[in-house]
Amino acid sequence: MNPVIDTIMSHRSIRQFKDEAMTKEQMKTIIEAAQMAPSSRFMQTYSIIGITNPLLKKDLGTITGLTYVENNGHFLIFCADLHRLTIMASEEEKQNMQDMLESTQFYQIATIDASLAAQNAALAAESMGLGVVYIGAIAKNLPEIDKLLNLPSHVIPLFGMAIGIPDQKPEIKPRLPIQAVYFENQYNSDAEEQREFTESYDQKMKAYYQTRSENPRADTWSGKNIALFQKKADANYSQYVKSKRMNVK
Amino acid sequence: MNPVIDTIMSHRSIRQFKDEAMTKEQMKTIIEAAQMAPSSRFMQTYSIIGITNPLLKKDLGTITGLTYVENNGHFLIFCADLHRLTIMASEEEKQNMQDMLESTQFYQIATIDASLAAQNAALAAESMGLGVVYIGAIAKNLPEIDKLLNLPSHVIPLFGMAIGIPDQKPEIKPRLPIQAVYFENQYNSDAEEQREFTESYDQKMKAYYQTRSENPRADTWSGKNIALFQKKADANYSQYVKSKRMNVK
């Protein structure tokens, strides 16, 4: 096990940070690491917004309902960004670009670009002894966040990331059995086998949830997921993305 | 600079590999690293398919038109996978799940989950002295790849990844200036400044493209991107995703 794999295998999300801001030097290293991620056709279709204004951080804490969005060493928001590609285009070229900018394919590509950059940032931070947690809860009010960040068309926030000096050390969560996520040559459609893998994992996670030191609960992995999906989808989400002229066609 | 940041900063895509397969041990480490990536609500909504059958690899090489999809040490396909969440659900629960499974929000979440896992895999491989390249060109014929891999509903392939022992050492590509991708507190909407950053990068990339040892060309970064976007979007892409009952609403 080399230091890279060691860092990767030691990941746990950190949700409680010491009251100490990251230095400019640390953040520069983390952002430069993000920039080195591969990107589709080298288009680099992402942007990162660092939140340093305490009032803005407070607003984001309120929107997400998460204390650690406000209280951390630095807070980042990763955006899918197709806008930058248009900056040097003439008006006519810009017009011609719209159809592809609005496509599902390039919405997906920008989402992937931003995610690869984010994971580089996360690992760079963790390698420096810092802790991180991804924040999906910005989805609770994207139009509001959009306004706060003054995002142009073809740019949407995907997730936040809180970074800081860990003030907790949660257990590492067991992952699905490798046979449940990795297949050779074709998807494993053997329903019996799939149920077996998932069931054994459910038992393992039940024990984990019951005995973990913080926030213990009685639950299985599948039970939690199935319960989550019994609701209707949040139509606001799709509407917001389309309002930014992404994923329209 | 620690070994993790060193690995991250040394990334270049490798498109020519020695004729040597990865060992089972190496692939196990790489997949386990992928599994340790964070995932939204810990749903782990991705699957990875390793292609070991030479005939299948040949087919994928033909579809993508890329020799290194066939000739490498191991080839992976990363999928967004919402299917697994339904495995333990009753018929009635499964029915109720469909609305959220079909939503743009969870299509995006699964895309992000798969991407974070992939970047962990890429860095784990690179830390072991291996080279990698992401393959977006599987998008050239997704229905065909879907059939070859026997993917169920709510599972779509996002990109491939070729892994192997590098048989080339391309220069590292310069990234956008940090001021072009990282902003504080709000998006930089100063059009003048944005053009300045992009223009200086265009000049830098022009010099890079002209002088690099392999495949030199006369081009700017913006010029290449703008030219790419002058076409109509590929409607097949969005149709395929919807046919898998994802991103429908």
Side-chain angles (χ1 to χ4, degrees):
Chain A
M1 192 133 80
N2 65 49
V4 176
I5 292 169
D6 193 35
T7 297
I8 288 173
M9 300 308 289
S10 306
H11 169 73
R12 63 265 277 165
S13 295
I14 299 298
R15 293 182 174 84
Q16 198 175 308
F17 301 98
K18 296 200 172 140
D19 187 17
E20 198 174 314
M22 305 300 82
T23 65
K24 276 205 182 309
E25 195 52 45
Q26 283 174 315
M27 288 317 301
K28 186 164 176 278
T29 302
I30 289 169
I31 303 301
E32 284 173 350
Q35 292 192 264
M36 283 308 296
S39 95
S40 182
R41 295 170 188 258
F42 201 54
M43 292 186 298
Q44 305 170 73
T45 51
Y46 66 90
S47 284
I48 309 170
I49 302 181
I51 312 298
T52 55
N53 177 340
L55 293 175
L56 187 49
K57 255 179 142 172
K58 207 179 162 73
D59 283 346
L60 293 171
T62 305
I63 290 172
T64 56
L66 300 171
T67 53
Y68 42 95
V69 167
E70 191 182 344
N71 306 319
N72 51 56
H74 201 92
F75 192 72
L76 300 176
I77 295 184
F78 285 82
C79 301
D81 184 344
L82 297 172
H83 163 72
R84 193 187 300 108
L85 299 175
T86 67
I87 290 175
M88 301 298 285
S90 68
E91 278 314 309
E92 193 192 335
E93 285 170 334
K94 249 180 219 163
Q95 276 313 312
N96 292 338
M97 291 176 86
Q98 297 307 314
D99 198 66
M100 280 173 85
L101 292 173
E102 293 183 352
S103 68
T104 294
Q105 183 170 16
F106 282 87
Y107 161 63
Q108 182 181 291
I109 282 174
T111 302
I112 295 168
D113 272 9
S115 304
L116 303 186
Q119 189 55 9
N120 265 17
L123 288 169
E126 290 177 333
S127 77
M128 295 154 73
L130 305 174
V132 306
V133 61
Y134 282 74
I135 308 290
I138 61 166
K140 285 186 181 171
N141 196 343
L142 288 172
E144 180 65 20
I145 290 176
D146 187 276
K147 223 186 306 169
L148 290 170
L149 303 183
N150 194 28
L151 302 181
S153 294
H154 307 307
V155 180
I156 56 167
L158 297 173
F159 46 78
M161 184 187 292
I163 305 177
I165 300 172
D167 197 23
Q168 62 174 183
K169 193 169 181 179
E171 291 90 348
I172 293 178
K173 269 190 195 159
R175 264 50 182 179
L176 281 159
I178 193 166
Q179 305 95 314
V181 302
Y182 179 70
F183 316 124
E184 287 203 339
N185 297 314
Q186 58 171 24
Y187 197 89
N188 181 1
S189 295
D190 183 326
E192 193 100 343
E193 254 185 50
Q194 285 196 331
R195 283 184 68 91
E196 239 168 72
F197 295 142
T198 317
E199 194 147 21
S200 77
Y201 184 60
D202 277 344
Q203 292 315 311
K204 196 175 184 175
M205 282 304 289
K206 195 174 172 180
Y208 165 83
Y209 283 135
Q210 280 173 341
T211 60
R212 66 177 174 184
S213 46
E214 295 182 53
N215 190 24
R217 63 181 187 202
D219 216 344
T220 66
W221 180 78
S222 293
K224 177 180 74 63
N225 294 328
I226 292 166
L228 169 69
F229 276 79
Q230 295 302 300
K231 290 172 294 191
K232 285 272 166 202
D234 177 5
N236 292 328
Y237 195 88
S238 171
Q239 271 166 31
Y240 165 73
V241 175
K242 286 186 170 54
S243 78
K244 303 298 292 184
R245 309 308 300 157
M246 289 172 84
N247 194 34
V248 176
K249 54 187 77 179
Chain B
M1 190 133 83
N2 66 48
V4 176
I5 292 171
D6 192 36
T7 297
I8 288 173
M9 299 309 288
S10 306
H11 168 74
R12 62 266 278 166
S13 295
I14 299 298
R15 294 181 174 85
Q16 197 173 311
F17 301 98
K18 295 199 173 144
D19 187 17
E20 197 174 314
M22 305 300 79
T23 64
K24 276 204 183 310
E25 196 52 45
Q26 283 174 315
M27 288 316 302
K28 185 163 177 279
T29 303
I30 290 169
I31 302 301
E32 283 173 350
Q35 291 192 264
M36 283 308 295
S39 94
S40 181
R41 295 168 189 261
F42 201 53
M43 292 186 301
Q44 305 170 71
T45 51
Y46 66 88
S47 285
I48 308 169
I49 302 180
I51 312 298
T52 54
N53 177 341
L55 292 176
L56 187 49
K57 254 180 143 173
K58 208 180 161 75
D59 283 346
L60 293 171
T62 304
I63 290 171
T64 56
L66 299 171
T67 52
Y68 42 95
V69 167
E70 191 182 342
N71 305 318
N72 51 57
H74 202 91
F75 191 72
L76 300 176
I77 294 183
F78 285 82
C79 301
D81 184 344
L82 296 171
H83 164 73
R84 194 187 301 108
L85 299 175
T86 68
I87 290 174
M88 301 298 285
S90 69
E91 278 314 308
E92 194 191 337
E93 286 169 333
K94 250 181 220 165
Q95 275 314 310
N96 293 338
M97 291 176 86
Q98 297 307 314
D99 199 65
M100 281 173 85
L101 292 173
E102 292 183 353
S103 68
T104 293
Q105 184 170 15
F106 282 86
Y107 161 62
Q108 183 181 289
I109 282 175
T111 302
I112 295 168
D113 271 9
S115 304
L116 303 186
Q119 189 54 10
N120 265 15
L123 288 169
E126 290 177 332
S127 78
M128 295 154 74
L130 305 174
V132 306
V133 61
Y134 282 75
I135 308 290
I138 61 166
K140 287 187 180 171
N141 196 342
L142 288 171
E144 179 65 20
I145 289 176
D146 187 278
K147 221 185 310 169
L148 290 170
L149 304 183
N150 194 27
L151 301 180
S153 293
H154 307 307
V155 180
I156 56 166
L158 297 173
F159 47 78
M161 184 187 289
I163 304 176
I165 300 172
D167 197 23
Q168 62 174 183
K169 193 170 182 179
E171 291 90 349
I172 293 179
K173 270 189 194 160
R175 263 52 180 178
L176 281 160
I178 192 166
Q179 306 96 312
V181 301
Y182 180 71
F183 318 124
E184 286 202 340
N185 297 313
Q186 58 170 23
Y187 198 89
N188 181 1
S189 295
D190 182 327
E192 194 101 341
E193 254 184 51
Q194 285 198 330
R195 283 183 68 91
E196 239 169 70
F197 296 144
T198 316
E199 195 148 19
S200 77
Y201 184 60
D202 276 344
Q203 292 314 311
K204 196 175 186 177
M205 282 305 289
K206 195 173 171 180
Y208 165 83
Y209 283 137
Q210 280 173 341
T211 59
R212 68 177 173 185
S213 48
E214 293 181 53
N215 190 23
R217 64 182 187 199
D219 217 343
T220 66
W221 181 77
S222 293
K224 178 180 73 64
N225 294 329
I226 293 167
L228 170 69
F229 275 79
Q230 295 303 301
K231 290 171 294 189
K232 286 270 164 205
D234 177 5
N236 293 326
Y237 195 87
S238 172
Q239 271 166 31
Y240 166 72
V241 175
K242 287 187 169 54
S243 78
K244 302 300 291 185
R245 309 308 302 158
M246 289 173 83
N247 193 35
V248 175
K249 53 186 76 179

